[in-house]
Amino acid sequence: MKVSVVGAGAVGASCAEYIAIKNFASEVVLLDIKEGYAEGKAMDLMQTASLNGFDTKITGSTNDYSKTANSDVCVITSGIPRKPGMTREELIDINAGIVKTVASNLLSYSPNTILIVVSNPMDTMTYLVHKTTNLPKNKIIGMGGALDSARFKYRLAEALDAPISDVDGMVIGGHSDTGMVPLTRLATRNSVPVSEFISAERLEQVKEDTKVGGATLTKLLGTSAWYAPGAAVSAMVQAIACDQKKVFPCSTFLNGEYGMNDICLGVPVVIGKNGIESIVEIALNDAEKATMVASAEGVSAVNDLLNF
């Protein structure tokens, strides 16, 4: 298993670190446009190998895509990160050009790879990759819902005063502060609905805190988060590498599912060796359906700004 990560900044380096530590990949290639940056990150990470007990080989390259040849999975984290007060949508003009170029370069050396898109605005960047490449839809995955769901579970555990291993929940919809749809109705603590433990008001607060999870961290850190995004990507890559058939909410191209067409939006999918093995259609209530429609309208409005 060879994995290439384009963008050796905080998110990309965290992806590489978590993938290597889990020891399921033979090689991770870090690539960046900044001279020597990816090489330095790779060397630093490799010097943790004996301490962290992994054998994955991590190499770095400055903009040499030939080093990514024959990658099984490629992760695109390239682009500028959010600054305080900046929405994901404001990134579109700059990041669309970057993502389009990166995807083209990766596919020229790994035409059968599975692409995981992390760059923001993520749903729109995933849609862009669908529209500008010839990859089948199952091989293009947008990483958003996996991260948003992890943040949802963090907030649920906090509200419940429970260990996070006891908590389960999912966020679907767009990967934006207004587009997320945390499924509070279906969230559980060890199979018991969380509504049995906390009030409707507290659960509503959990939902709102989840939706601004990224913006909250951006305000605190002065830039986008990286540990949880890196961990979310590594979990998805592991599901592909080990053919785990795990369910993640991911941004995928919808063609009639959930009553939507020609859009990439976060929905539950089964991830295995072929990428997205299937889309899971869950029964939503009227309020959830309405929120999903509004979320889709928001993503479509951003998609309309794209210049292919």
Side-chain angles (χ1 to χ4, degrees), residues 14 57-58 66 88 110 115 146 154 222 231 247 252 260 264 301 303:
S14 290
K57 179 184 178 183
I58 308 172
S66 68
R88 292 181 176 91
S110 304
L115 283 180
Y154 159 71
V247 173
T252 186
M260 298 179 185
C264 289
N303 291 351

Side-chain angles (χ1 to χ4, degrees), residues 246-298:
K246 293 188 81 169
V247 173
F248 291 92
C250 296
S251 189
T252 186
F253 190 82
L254 298 178
N255 187 24
E257 299 90 352
Y258 289 87
M260 298 179 185
N261 288 282
D262 195 36
I263 191 171
C264 289
L265 204 64
V267 296
V269 302
V270 175
I271 293 185
K273 65 181 180 181
N274 298 309
I276 294 175
E277 305 274 346
S278 62
I279 294 174
V280 181
E281 291 201 62
I282 55 178
L284 303 177
N285 63 27
D286 289 342
E288 292 158 351
K289 287 178 184 176
T291 310
M292 276 289 278
V293 169
S295 178
E297 289 172 349

Side-chain angles (χ1 to χ4, degrees), residues 224-240:
S224 296
W226 58 90
Y227 295 124
V233 172
S234 74
M236 292 165 62
V237 175
Q238 185 174 19
I240 295 167

Side-chain angles (χ1 to χ4, degrees), residues 1-287:
M1 169 62 62
K2 180 177 180 179
V3 181
S4 289
V5 180
V6 182
V11 173
S14 290
C15 291
E17 179 181 15
Y18 292 136
I19 290 168
I21 283 176
K22 291 179 179 179
N23 221 19
F24 61 81
S26 56
E27 182 180 3
V28 175
V29 177
L30 265 176
L31 188 142
D32 201 276
I33 196 168
K34 185 177 179 181
E35 187 70 36
Y37 194 64
E39 291 88 340
K41 286 287 186 80
M43 186 181 295
D44 192 14
L45 286 169
M46 280 304 295
Q47 289 170 3
T48 74
S50 62
L51 300 168
N52 286 326
F54 66 82
D55 295 312
T56 301
K57 179 184 178 183
I58 308 172
T59 57
S61 174
T62 301
N63 224 31
D64 181 1
Y65 282 86
S66 68
K67 299 291 177 63
T68 70
N70 301 312
S71 292
D72 298 284
V73 182
C74 293
V75 182
I76 303 176
T77 74
S78 307
I80 63 168
R82 280 205 295 176
K83 300 293 191 294
M86 179 186 284
T87 65
R88 292 181 176 91
E89 289 75 16
E90 288 174 319
L91 300 176
I92 188 169
D93 286 340
I94 299 171
N95 286 358
I98 295 171
V99 169
K100 184 178 178 180
T101 300
V102 169
S104 175
N105 288 337
L106 287 170
L107 290 172
S108 67
Y109 288 98
S110 304
N112 298 312
T113 194
I114 294 170
L115 283 180
I116 297 177
V117 181
V118 182
S119 307
N120 279 315
M122 186 277 302
D123 296 292
T124 295
M125 294 300 102
T126 305
Y127 181 76
L128 174 69
V129 173
H130 273 281
K131 292 296 184 178
T132 57
T133 71
N134 292 317
L135 272 182
K137 61 178 285 186
N138 62 294
K139 290 193 170 188
I140 304 170
I141 312 172
M143 191 291 292
L147 170 61
D148 297 331
S149 297
R151 288 171 171 165
F152 184 35
K153 285 179 267 193
Y154 159 71
R155 289 298 188 185
L156 282 169
E158 179 184 54
L160 292 162
D161 192 24
I164 205 156
S165 58
D166 232 17
V167 174
D168 199 14
M170 181 183 293
V171 177
I172 59 175
H175 182 56
S176 69
D177 301 345
T178 56
M180 289 183 212
V181 185
L183 295 175
T184 52
R185 177 178 61 89
L186 301 178
T188 61
R189 178 180 181 179
N190 202 3
S191 301
V192 180
V194 296
S195 56
E196 296 289 328
F197 300 97
I198 55 178
S199 67
E201 292 76 18
R202 186 68 181 91
L203 195 50
E204 182 66 21
Q205 185 61 53
V206 166
K207 181 171 77 172
E208 293 307 314
D209 288 344
T210 298
K211 290 168 69 174
V212 297
T216 300
L217 285 164
T218 300
K219 184 177 179 181
L220 290 169
L221 296 168
T223 186
S224 296
W226 58 90
Y227 295 124
V233 172
S234 74
M236 292 165 62
V237 175
Q238 185 174 19
I240 295 167
C242 303
D243 195 25
Q244 291 177 329
K245 304 290 196 291
K246 293 188 81 169
V247 173
F248 291 92
C250 296
S251 189
T252 186
F253 190 82
L254 298 178
N255 187 24
E257 299 90 352
Y258 289 87
M260 298 179 185
N261 288 282
D262 195 36
I263 191 171
C264 289
L265 204 64
V267 296
V269 302
V270 175
I271 293 185
K273 65 181 180 181
N274 298 309
I276 294 175
E277 305 274 346
S278 62
I279 294 174
V280 181
E281 291 201 62
I282 55 178
L284 303 177
N285 63 27
D286 289 342

